[in-house]
Amino acid sequence: MSLGYCLLPMTTATGPPSTMAEKEDELTPMLSQYLELCEAHEDALVLFQVGDFYEAFCEAAEAVARVCEVTLTQREDSTGTYPMAGIPIDNASSYLERLVDADYRVAIADQVEDAEAATGLVDRAVTRVITPGTVVEEELLASGTTNYVASAVESEQGGFGISAVDVSTGECFVTSVADRAGLSEELDRIAPSELLVAPETPTVTPADASTGWMETEVDPVLFDHEAAVDCLSAYVDPERRLATDAERRACGAVLAYAEYTQGDDGTLDYVSRIRRYEQQDHLRLDAAALRSLELFENRGLGAGDTLFDVIDKSASALGRRCLTRWLRRPLVERRAIETRLDAVDALVEASVERTELQDGLADAYDLERLVGRISRGRAHARDLRSLQATLSVVPDLIETLDGIDALAPYRERLDPLEAVADLIEGAIVDEPPTELTEGGVIKPSFDADLDELRTTEREGRQWVAELEAAERERTGIDSLSVGHNQVHGYYIEVTNPNLDRVPDDYTRRQTLKNSERFYTPELKERENEIFGAAERADSLEYELFCEVRTEVAAETERIQALATAIAELDAACSLATVAAEGDYIRPEFHDGSADSGGINIEGGRHPVVETTQDSFVPNDADLSQGEVAIITGPNMSGKSTYMRQVALTCLLAQIGSFVPAEAAELPVLDRIFTRVGASDDIAGGQSTFMREMSELTEILHDASEDSLVLLDEVGRGTSTADGLAIAQATTEFIHDELGATTLFATHYHGLTELADKREGVVNRHFAATREGDEVTFLHRVAPGASSASYGIEVARMAGVPETVVDRARSVVESADGSQAESGPTGSQPTANADQTPTDKPADSQSETNRDGSETTTDTPSEQTSAVDNDRPSYPEEELDVGAEAADDRASYPEEEFFGGTVDPAVDDPLDEESMVRVAVALRSVDVASMTPLEALNTLDELRSELRE
Ligand code: ADP
Ligand code: MG
């Protein structure tokens, strides 16, 4: 089908070139054919086959030359001069990849008739439109990945229907979401390469501009109810399989688009199933959680490991893709989770068998993509051999699985498809050529007619081979030779001195300088026989190949089912390998209802950080359901790592994986939310505070008592007073109203006081010690809150001279005092007024009792902790020498803290301005990452600043 027109061609490189369009009637036949194809594919850059090259003209040529770095030439004819650029067809894929990467849709206009046979202009047609979301070319796709084109349609009730298809594998699914937040969550999770939109239709594109997909504007007709249902009917019963009109329109449109890009009119038969799910069928992870938990993408600078990298030990592309799907959509059904865990468990135990299985799986080709090519009629003989090779592994897999009861469900689904395997084995030679039309593809004795033709050919050639000797003997001409060339066929060559001995039955074919070439009636006859037979054999081979391919394609669904079984087996083996090598344990789940238990992890580790760390310190997590843990501690002490490891442990458990811990008893979560404060996030563009708040709002709407919420330094984007107020209000709301289990790492020390006021809010902290000149972070979580003066304490431990430390303290105290007086009382959190000690003994006490161990004190000096306890709480950020103040400064009104800082009552011999400068500089010093020498130098600079 044609998509008709596109309203917004992306660039001038697409659509009909204006210079040609102007003289439409004068163009040479070839260029007017080009122009026509450009008009029919307005949104695409048309590559036009001319012999061994794909050519582009005019603006498109300029784009091709630029993107592919090929020479821009010109084509001249009677109508004018046109820029032209070409890429060699033999080597097209690397150029196509560049064009697709540069966000071009590329329409391939192939010659669809034999150029030699054509009279006049060769017929050309667009055989493929290559777009980022519909790539099927193996060379353009990364191995073991998914690649979706998606669309989303707003329903009249305000929700959205979403659909996506992976054209390379035929995977297709639909879902509905209730609102815009759900839409962007789902699209982020699908991570399509391309999103279809149409003007004046209810198609949608999420507001967030930072998405990684290309938007393709298509003809609105695609989204028409009738058109969509029409297209869908070829696949499923649209009324029964799909729930809403929005789903039907979204799904119909992506399928119609997929068909269009494959250059055929027909249905994509290998899209044999349209899966429908609800968002709550999986553990939901919104975009922020996907990002901040670094499941698939590393947010840090430079490419580091992601959770996926850690758990991916798959042997095949199938396993890898399956694992991707599992990690993207963890389970929420306890039975399903346990079934996967049983399999992983069994494979952990059966290490010998697991190695055997993986050896076999490593020989499995990507059946999902193979079956796509087979079904589209694009598979080569080599693809069929790859299928056969994969099928031949299956009996071994079955045998290995035989003794392992827990894996019986896998074994039963491994279908050896013997008939298909035998068919290919009997039909296709072991190492077929890439060309399908030049013979050498079909094995002898597969087809009697073919055998006969090949025998005729072979006997003919044999006769010719023997002809030379026979004719030498008959004529007595020793130098007589028999040869062959393309133009004249077979000939007998006799040199000039021997021409008088040429027999009568020789007919002259060609005269050369020193010789003459002849043929005989019999040679002529044999020649016709040989070439006739060869030609017919070649085309018969092609026919037979296509028959075999069609016959195999008829088994698409069974091959797909096998692919799924192999994929899941490989994924389970991968998880088992990770568990065995990484010392993971099988998690336990609480039974049933929400309030039956929280998160209990003993000796938990961060699955990714532990692989990058020489020695990782394991930590316990003990959160009853609905509990809120406020986590304090200096920068770099391990707060963020700890919170994420708790979330990742739950997430891994729900994909059916073992977890990095000594013991884990977990709930089945419905959602994981994470919010990372502005200073920790690489937020682009908009006000980071606004963004933080709007993301926070989502949690406040959606979290349930089965959710896990991670809040990491939320509230940083605004003034301390506001930030603390918001942080506190949020915590209270989550705790009182939502009942979600929550971990909140914060620099707002005031927040720790909530533990005193609310049952179910507890304090945890991370501590540091000093060894010699080195400040060491213990990375160990301990009960109770961190000392409020930690920043200054760390500075002191790092060797900052006492005078400076003391001075910093007095600045803090006066800042605190002045803020308390002048601060915006309206938003001042009540906690501040209480003046309760920040380390609440009661809390610490109960912690100590609970795990029976001594509370680790985070304060290396009794003296400072005593001082802390006497002091009202104050915003720690201000003091935190290790704080990443560079970010803070911009959004942080200095006056608020320093305007009233220099209290006249404080005897201050220093100049106010330089003091502010030093204080600001001090705040931005990252003591933890400094060598002692750097610290000394910095100190020296700061001191000279004060002297000036
Ligand atoms: P915070 O959030 O408190 O600033 P992070 O969680 O970002 O600290 O941790 C800082 C660094 O400390 C991490 O990058 C990691 O290298 C190291 N780290 C964190 N937790 C541990 C741990 N449990 N064991 C060993 N190293 C850790
Ligand atoms: Mg952090």
Side-chain angles (χ1 to χ4, degrees), residues 461-482:
R461 289 188 197 278
Q462 185 63 33
W463 181 87
V464 172
E466 287 161 5
L467 183 67
E468 192 171 278
E471 288 301 298
R472 279 185 187 173
E473 181 151 355
R474 176 157 83 100
T475 60
I477 307 170
D478 287 347
S479 61
L480 177 147
S481 63
V482 172

PDB file of all heavy atoms in Angstrom, residues 461-482:
ATOM      1  N   ARG A 461      29.355 -31.486 -20.939  1.00  0.00           N
ATOM      2  CA  ARG A 461      30.664 -30.896 -20.658  1.00  0.00           C
ATOM      3  C   ARG A 461      31.773 -31.950 -20.757  1.00  0.00           C
ATOM      4  O   ARG A 461      32.873 -31.663 -21.244  1.00  0.00           O
ATOM      5  CB  ARG A 461      30.683 -30.264 -19.264  1.00  0.00           C
ATOM      6  CG  ARG A 461      29.843 -28.981 -19.176  1.00  0.00           C
ATOM      7  CD  ARG A 461      30.035 -28.278 -17.841  1.00  0.00           C
ATOM      8  NE  ARG A 461      28.978 -27.295 -17.585  1.00  0.00           N
ATOM      9  CZ  ARG A 461      28.969 -26.054 -18.091  1.00  0.00           C
ATOM     10  NH1 ARG A 461      29.961 -25.665 -18.886  1.00  0.00           N
ATOM     11  NH2 ARG A 461      27.972 -25.239 -17.831  1.00  0.00           N
ATOM     12  N   GLN A 462      31.416 -33.126 -20.312  1.00  0.00           N
ATOM     13  CA  GLN A 462      32.371 -34.226 -20.395  1.00  0.00           C
ATOM     14  C   GLN A 462      32.721 -34.516 -21.875  1.00  0.00           C
ATOM     15  O   GLN A 462      33.884 -34.657 -22.257  1.00  0.00           O
ATOM     16  CB  GLN A 462      31.751 -35.475 -19.742  1.00  0.00           C
ATOM     17  CG  GLN A 462      32.663 -36.673 -19.644  1.00  0.00           C
ATOM     18  CD  GLN A 462      33.865 -36.380 -18.753  1.00  0.00           C
ATOM     19  OE1 GLN A 462      33.767 -35.616 -17.782  1.00  0.00           O
ATOM     20  NE2 GLN A 462      35.033 -36.949 -19.122  1.00  0.00           N
ATOM     21  N   TRP A 463      31.677 -34.536 -22.678  1.00  0.00           N
ATOM     22  CA  TRP A 463      31.875 -34.790 -24.121  1.00  0.00           C
ATOM     23  C   TRP A 463      32.785 -33.720 -24.712  1.00  0.00           C
ATOM     24  O   TRP A 463      33.713 -34.008 -25.449  1.00  0.00           O
ATOM     25  CB  TRP A 463      30.506 -34.795 -24.819  1.00  0.00           C
ATOM     26  CG  TRP A 463      30.584 -35.076 -26.303  1.00  0.00           C
ATOM     27  CD1 TRP A 463      30.593 -36.293 -26.913  1.00  0.00           C
ATOM     28  CD2 TRP A 463      30.690 -34.090 -27.338  1.00  0.00           C
ATOM     29  NE1 TRP A 463      30.705 -36.169 -28.262  1.00  0.00           N
ATOM     30  CE2 TRP A 463      30.769 -34.801 -28.557  1.00  0.00           C
ATOM     31  CE3 TRP A 463      30.736 -32.695 -27.365  1.00  0.00           C
ATOM     32  CZ2 TRP A 463      30.887 -34.153 -29.787  1.00  0.00           C
ATOM     33  CZ3 TRP A 463      30.848 -32.054 -28.591  1.00  0.00           C
ATOM     34  CH2 TRP A 463      30.923 -32.773 -29.780  1.00  0.00           C
ATOM     35  N   VAL A 464      32.529 -32.467 -24.346  1.00  0.00           N
ATOM     36  CA  VAL A 464      33.355 -31.368 -24.862  1.00  0.00           C
ATOM     37  C   VAL A 464      34.784 -31.530 -24.382  1.00  0.00           C
ATOM     38  O   VAL A 464      35.746 -31.335 -25.129  1.00  0.00           O
ATOM     39  CB  VAL A 464      32.791 -29.999 -24.420  1.00  0.00           C
ATOM     40  CG1 VAL A 464      33.750 -28.877 -24.784  1.00  0.00           C
ATOM     41  CG2 VAL A 464      31.441 -29.750 -25.056  1.00  0.00           C
ATOM     42  N   ALA A 465      34.922 -31.929 -23.113  1.00  0.00           N
ATOM     43  CA  ALA A 465      36.260 -32.074 -22.559  1.00  0.00           C
ATOM     44  C   ALA A 465      37.054 -33.134 -23.323  1.00  0.00           C
ATOM     45  O   ALA A 465      38.270 -33.027 -23.483  1.00  0.00           O
ATOM     46  CB  ALA A 465      36.184 -32.438 -21.081  1.00  0.00           C
ATOM     47  N   GLU A 466      36.312 -34.141 -23.796  1.00  0.00           N
ATOM     48  CA  GLU A 466      37.020 -35.213 -24.515  1.00  0.00           C
ATOM     49  C   GLU A 466      37.180 -34.912 -25.995  1.00  0.00           C
ATOM     50  O   GLU A 466      37.886 -35.609 -26.717  1.00  0.00           O
ATOM     51  CB  GLU A 466      36.244 -36.535 -24.346  1.00  0.00           C
ATOM     52  CG  GLU A 466      36.401 -37.096 -22.949  1.00  0.00           C
ATOM     53  CD  GLU A 466      35.313 -38.116 -22.607  1.00  0.00           C
ATOM     54  OE1 GLU A 466      34.500 -38.455 -23.499  1.00  0.00           O
ATOM     55  OE2 GLU A 466      35.273 -38.541 -21.433  1.00  0.00           O
ATOM     56  N   LEU A 467      36.490 -33.859 -26.446  1.00  0.00           N
ATOM     57  CA  LEU A 467      36.463 -33.547 -27.882  1.00  0.00           C
ATOM     58  C   LEU A 467      37.853 -33.231 -28.428  1.00  0.00           C
ATOM     59  O   LEU A 467      38.210 -33.651 -29.526  1.00  0.00           O
ATOM     60  CB  LEU A 467      35.505 -32.367 -28.132  1.00  0.00           C
ATOM     61  CG  LEU A 467      35.319 -31.958 -29.588  1.00  0.00           C
ATOM     62  CD1 LEU A 467      34.589 -33.068 -30.360  1.00  0.00           C
ATOM     63  CD2 LEU A 467      34.500 -30.658 -29.692  1.00  0.00           C
ATOM     64  N   GLU A 468      38.620 -32.503 -27.667  1.00  0.00           N
ATOM     65  CA  GLU A 468      39.919 -32.043 -28.143  1.00  0.00           C
ATOM     66  C   GLU A 468      40.781 -33.244 -28.563  1.00  0.00           C
ATOM     67  O   GLU A 468      41.288 -33.302 -29.696  1.00  0.00           O
ATOM     68  CB  GLU A 468      40.610 -31.242 -27.041  1.00  0.00           C
ATOM     69  CG  GLU A 468      41.830 -30.488 -27.531  1.00  0.00           C
ATOM     70  CD  GLU A 468      42.341 -29.540 -26.452  1.00  0.00           C
ATOM     71  OE1 GLU A 468      41.782 -28.426 -26.337  1.00  0.00           O
ATOM     72  OE2 GLU A 468      43.270 -29.921 -25.711  1.00  0.00           O
ATOM     73  N   ALA A 469      40.898 -34.213 -27.682  1.00  0.00           N
ATOM     74  CA  ALA A 469      41.709 -35.393 -27.985  1.00  0.00           C
ATOM     75  C   ALA A 469      41.168 -36.133 -29.214  1.00  0.00           C
ATOM     76  O   ALA A 469      41.923 -36.508 -30.124  1.00  0.00           O
ATOM     77  CB  ALA A 469      41.735 -36.305 -26.763  1.00  0.00           C
ATOM     78  N   ALA A 470      39.825 -36.247 -29.244  1.00  0.00           N
ATOM     79  CA  ALA A 470      39.209 -36.983 -30.348  1.00  0.00           C
ATOM     80  C   ALA A 470      39.461 -36.287 -31.682  1.00  0.00           C
ATOM     81  O   ALA A 470      39.817 -36.925 -32.687  1.00  0.00           O
ATOM     82  CB  ALA A 470      37.710 -37.116 -30.106  1.00  0.00           C
ATOM     83  N   GLU A 471      39.299 -34.975 -31.701  1.00  0.00           N
ATOM     84  CA  GLU A 471      39.482 -34.238 -32.961  1.00  0.00           C
ATOM     85  C   GLU A 471      40.950 -34.176 -33.370  1.00  0.00           C
ATOM     86  O   GLU A 471      41.264 -34.189 -34.545  1.00  0.00           O
ATOM     87  CB  GLU A 471      38.902 -32.814 -32.828  1.00  0.00           C
ATOM     88  CG  GLU A 471      37.379 -32.763 -32.787  1.00  0.00           C
ATOM     89  CD  GLU A 471      36.723 -33.358 -34.035  1.00  0.00           C
ATOM     90  OE1 GLU A 471      36.942 -32.842 -35.146  1.00  0.00           O
ATOM     91  OE2 GLU A 471      35.991 -34.373 -33.894  1.00  0.00           O
ATOM     92  N   ARG A 472      41.859 -34.093 -32.390  1.00  0.00           N
ATOM     93  CA  ARG A 472      43.278 -34.133 -32.742  1.00  0.00           C
ATOM     94  C   ARG A 472      43.587 -35.447 -33.465  1.00  0.00           C
ATOM     95  O   ARG A 472      44.280 -35.477 -34.475  1.00  0.00           O
ATOM     96  CB  ARG A 472      44.154 -34.050 -31.486  1.00  0.00           C
ATOM     97  CG  ARG A 472      44.301 -32.633 -31.007  1.00  0.00           C
ATOM     98  CD  ARG A 472      45.274 -32.580 -29.846  1.00  0.00           C
ATOM     99  NE  ARG A 472      45.276 -31.234 -29.286  1.00  0.00           N
ATOM    100  CZ  ARG A 472      45.918 -30.894 -28.194  1.00  0.00           C
ATOM    101  NH1 ARG A 472      46.643 -31.790 -27.528  1.00  0.00           N
ATOM    102  NH2 ARG A 472      45.885 -29.647 -27.757  1.00  0.00           N
ATOM    103  N   GLU A 473      43.024 -36.483 -32.935  1.00  0.00           N
ATOM    104  CA  GLU A 473      43.277 -37.779 -33.532  1.00  0.00           C
ATOM    105  C   GLU A 473      42.650 -37.861 -34.920  1.00  0.00           C
ATOM    106  O   GLU A 473      43.279 -38.292 -35.886  1.00  0.00           O
ATOM    107  CB  GLU A 473      42.689 -38.866 -32.631  1.00  0.00           C
ATOM    108  CG  GLU A 473      42.942 -40.240 -33.191  1.00  0.00           C
ATOM    109  CD  GLU A 473      43.046 -41.311 -32.103  1.00  0.00           C
ATOM    110  OE1 GLU A 473      43.019 -40.965 -30.899  1.00  0.00           O
ATOM    111  OE2 GLU A 473      43.139 -42.473 -32.486  1.00  0.00           O
ATOM    112  N   ARG A 474      41.400 -37.387 -35.024  1.00  0.00           N
ATOM    113  CA  ARG A 474      40.694 -37.470 -36.312  1.00  0.00           C
ATOM    114  C   ARG A 474      41.390 -36.642 -37.380  1.00  0.00           C
ATOM    115  O   ARG A 474      41.552 -37.086 -38.514  1.00  0.00           O
ATOM    116  CB  ARG A 474      39.255 -36.984 -36.119  1.00  0.00           C
ATOM    117  CG  ARG A 474      38.446 -36.927 -37.421  1.00  0.00           C
ATOM    118  CD  ARG A 474      36.952 -36.995 -37.155  1.00  0.00           C
ATOM    119  NE  ARG A 474      36.376 -35.694 -36.800  1.00  0.00           N
ATOM    120  CZ  ARG A 474      35.701 -34.927 -37.684  1.00  0.00           C
ATOM    121  NH1 ARG A 474      35.540 -35.310 -38.942  1.00  0.00           N
ATOM    122  NH2 ARG A 474      35.209 -33.788 -37.281  1.00  0.00           N
ATOM    123  N   THR A 475      41.845 -35.409 -37.020  1.00  0.00           N
ATOM    124  CA  THR A 475      42.400 -34.519 -38.046  1.00  0.00           C
ATOM    125  C   THR A 475      43.909 -34.624 -38.126  1.00  0.00           C
ATOM    126  O   THR A 475      44.505 -34.181 -39.095  1.00  0.00           O
ATOM    127  CB  THR A 475      42.078 -33.060 -37.704  1.00  0.00           C
ATOM    128  OG1 THR A 475      42.659 -32.759 -36.427  1.00  0.00           O
ATOM    129  CG2 THR A 475      40.584 -32.821 -37.657  1.00  0.00           C
ATOM    130  N   GLY A 476      44.559 -35.158 -37.122  1.00  0.00           N
ATOM    131  CA  GLY A 476      46.017 -35.200 -37.093  1.00  0.00           C
ATOM    132  C   GLY A 476      46.639 -33.856 -36.778  1.00  0.00           C
ATOM    133  O   GLY A 476      47.838 -33.668 -36.938  1.00  0.00           O
ATOM    134  N   ILE A 477      45.810 -32.878 -36.360  1.00  0.00           N
ATOM    135  CA  ILE A 477      46.371 -31.562 -36.020  1.00  0.00           C
ATOM    136  C   ILE A 477      46.677 -31.537 -34.519  1.00  0.00           C
ATOM    137  O   ILE A 477      45.770 -31.440 -33.690  1.00  0.00           O
ATOM    138  CB  ILE A 477      45.386 -30.428 -36.359  1.00  0.00           C
ATOM    139  CG1 ILE A 477      44.922 -30.531 -37.808  1.00  0.00           C
ATOM    140  CG2 ILE A 477      46.024 -29.050 -36.079  1.00  0.00           C
ATOM    141  CD1 ILE A 477      43.775 -29.607 -38.169  1.00  0.00           C
ATOM    142  N   ASP A 478      47.968 -31.604 -34.185  1.00  0.00           N
ATOM    143  CA  ASP A 478      48.330 -31.712 -32.765  1.00  0.00           C
ATOM    144  C   ASP A 478      48.037 -30.451 -31.979  1.00  0.00           C
ATOM    145  O   ASP A 478      47.794 -30.483 -30.779  1.00  0.00           O
ATOM    146  CB  ASP A 478      49.819 -32.040 -32.625  1.00  0.00           C
ATOM    147  CG  ASP A 478      50.068 -33.487 -33.015  1.00  0.00           C
ATOM    148  OD1 ASP A 478      49.059 -34.238 -33.141  1.00  0.00           O
ATOM    149  OD2 ASP A 478      51.236 -33.872 -33.196  1.00  0.00           O
ATOM    150  N   SER A 479      48.079 -29.303 -32.679  1.00  0.00           N
ATOM    151  CA  SER A 479      47.881 -28.032 -31.950  1.00  0.00           C
ATOM    152  C   SER A 479      46.407 -27.652 -31.866  1.00  0.00           C
ATOM    153  O   SER A 479      46.065 -26.600 -31.339  1.00  0.00           O
ATOM    154  CB  SER A 479      48.652 -26.909 -32.646  1.00  0.00           C
ATOM    155  OG  SER A 479      48.148 -26.762 -33.965  1.00  0.00           O
ATOM    156  N   LEU A 480      45.509 -28.513 -32.399  1.00  0.00           N
ATOM    157  CA  LEU A 480      44.074 -28.212 -32.332  1.00  0.00           C
ATOM    158  C   LEU A 480      43.626 -28.104 -30.872  1.00  0.00           C
ATOM    159  O   LEU A 480      44.066 -28.854 -30.022  1.00  0.00           O
ATOM    160  CB  LEU A 480      43.302 -29.332 -33.038  1.00  0.00           C
ATOM    161  CG  LEU A 480      41.766 -29.261 -33.041  1.00  0.00           C
ATOM    162  CD1 LEU A 480      41.237 -29.858 -34.357  1.00  0.00           C
ATOM    163  CD2 LEU A 480      41.162 -29.988 -31.864  1.00  0.00           C
ATOM    164  N   SER A 481      42.790 -27.096 -30.625  1.00  0.00           N
ATOM    165  CA  SER A 481      42.306 -26.961 -29.247  1.00  0.00           C
ATOM    166  C   SER A 481      40.820 -26.635 -29.232  1.00  0.00           C
ATOM    167  O   SER A 481      40.287 -26.080 -30.179  1.00  0.00           O
ATOM    168  CB  SER A 481      43.085 -25.863 -28.503  1.00  0.00           C
ATOM    169  OG  SER A 481      42.848 -24.629 -29.132  1.00  0.00           O
ATOM    170  N   VAL A 482      40.169 -26.982 -28.109  1.00  0.00           N
ATOM    171  CA  VAL A 482      38.740 -26.683 -27.933  1.00  0.00           C
ATOM    172  C   VAL A 482      38.610 -25.644 -26.824  1.00  0.00           C
ATOM    173  O   VAL A 482      39.232 -25.788 -25.771  1.00  0.00           O
ATOM    174  CB  VAL A 482      37.949 -27.957 -27.568  1.00  0.00           C
ATOM    175  CG1 VAL A 482      36.510 -27.598 -27.194  1.00  0.00           C
ATOM    176  CG2 VAL A 482      37.967 -28.939 -28.744  1.00  0.00           C
TER     177      VAL A 482
END
